[in-house]
Amino acid sequence: GAVVSQHPSWVICKSGTSVKIECRSLDFQATTMFWYRQFPKQSLMLMATSNEGSKATYEQGVEKDKFLINHASLTLSTLTVTSAHPEDSSFYICSARDGGFGIKLGQFFGPGTRLTVL
Amino acid sequence: GENVEQHPSTLSVQEGDSAVIKCTYSDSASNYFPWYKQELGKRPQLIIDIRSNVGEKKDQRIAVTLNKTAKHFSLHITETQPEDSAVYFCAASGNSGYSTLTFGKGTMLLVSP
């Protein structure tokens, strides 16, 4: 249980293009999903908290117009990196928290998306 | 906000030895402390967690201890194996885990055969 998928697993794009990353909870309902960014050999940095049916809450320093988050259903959240630039290249990981009746504490992570912007 | 410090940043042990990773947190309201294991290029995996109403939790070779007064918690791995080699992250959260997680900077554990 508590499986989270993420797609795509890796993407290479040209500077200026937009990239959409999907995060899905496969066997539970996730009222809350989180988007992290991880640079090589560094920790996970929270970018935003995504709540189903409402606007995402962004961490300080994260541009909400650049990193668009949509959480339209209890099993899907998307992160769109708009007008990507080389400095946006990173490992993006989502996580989901079980909001169902059989609540499991902790966050369960997707496999991550490696974004490379040329 | 919460601040989590993690030590050491790297840890090398021989197979069969024990490994201990320590974390401190700043917010006394934090009451949920998970530990994640991340292998290179892969997702973080929850390996054990502890709530503030207990002082210790054990799962086979892995144990976590919590000292609320001192605001620190530790991960203990006994009888280490090469497959334990990975980066380990501690984290802290308030509201029984429903608040956001604040992660430590990670510890790279290398277990040599």
Side-chain angles (χ1 to χ4, degrees):
Chain A
V3 179
V4 178
S5 70
Q6 198 170 330
H7 179 80
S9 55
W10 59 271
V11 57
I12 301 173
C13 69
K14 292 182 179 180
S15 185
T17 60
S18 294
V19 175
K20 180 186 281 189
I21 302 170
E22 293 186 347
C23 178
R24 293 180 186 273
S25 57
L26 299 184
D27 54 358
F28 65 101
Q29 293 182 331
T31 54
T32 304
M33 290 184 172
F34 304 88
W35 287 97
Y36 294 86
R37 185 172 180 177
Q38 186 176 36
F39 291 107
K41 297 185 179 181
Q42 293 191 22
S43 189
L44 297 121
M45 298 302 299
L46 179 65
M47 299 175 65
T49 302
S50 170
N51 294 297
E52 186 267 336
S54 63
K55 291 183 179 180
T57 302
Y58 290 82
E59 295 300 300
Q60 190 173 6
V62 178
E63 300 176 57
K64 61 180 182 180
D65 294 330
K66 181 168 184 63
F67 299 99
L68 300 178
I69 291 172
N70 183 281
H71 193 161
S73 78
L74 286 172
T75 59
L76 174 64
S77 176
T78 61
L79 168 68
T80 301
V81 183
T82 62
S83 186
H85 288 94
E87 56 266 30
D88 298 323
S89 298
S90 188
F91 193 51
Y92 292 86
I93 311 178
C94 71
S95 71
R97 191 170 62 203
D98 190 343
F101 184 74
I103 293 175
K104 299 178 184 177
L105 285 183
Q107 295 177 22
F108 300 92
F109 287 85
T113 297
R114 175 77 57 192
L115 171 63
T116 302
V117 185
L118 302 176
Chain B
E2 174 67 275
N3 181 50
V4 177
E5 298 283 341
Q6 183 172 348
H7 299 279
S9 56
T10 59
L11 179 60
S12 294
V13 299
Q14 292 291 320
E15 183 177 1
D17 289 348
S18 294
V20 180
I21 302 170
K22 299 181 179 181
C23 289
T24 61
Y25 60 100
S26 61
D27 190 349
S28 56
S30 290
N31 54 12
Y32 174 69
F33 308 93
W35 285 88
Y36 289 87
K37 175 184 179 182
Q38 187 179 28
E39 297 176 4
L40 187 63
K42 297 189 177 180
R43 77 182 83 195
Q45 298 269 18
L46 177 68
I47 56 171
I48 196 168
D49 57 8
I50 191 169
R51 299 194 212 189
S52 61
N53 58 347
V54 297
E56 184 174 0
K57 184 176 179 180
K58 191 173 182 180
D59 182 3
Q60 299 182 340
R61 296 186 297 109
I62 295 173
V64 57
T65 58
L66 171 66
N67 183 327
K68 283 196 305 180
T69 303
K71 288 191 282 188
H72 67 69
F73 56 111
S74 300
L75 178 71
H76 304 253
I77 306 174
T78 58
E79 300 173 28
T80 54
Q81 301 167 2
E83 50 266 39
D84 294 329
S85 297
V87 178
Y88 291 81
F89 292 99
C90 64
S93 171
N95 198 19
S96 298
Y98 286 92
S99 296
T100 58
L101 287 172
T102 301
F103 285 88
K105 292 191 175 182
T107 296
M108 179 176 290
L109 173 65
L110 177 62
V111 181
S112 302

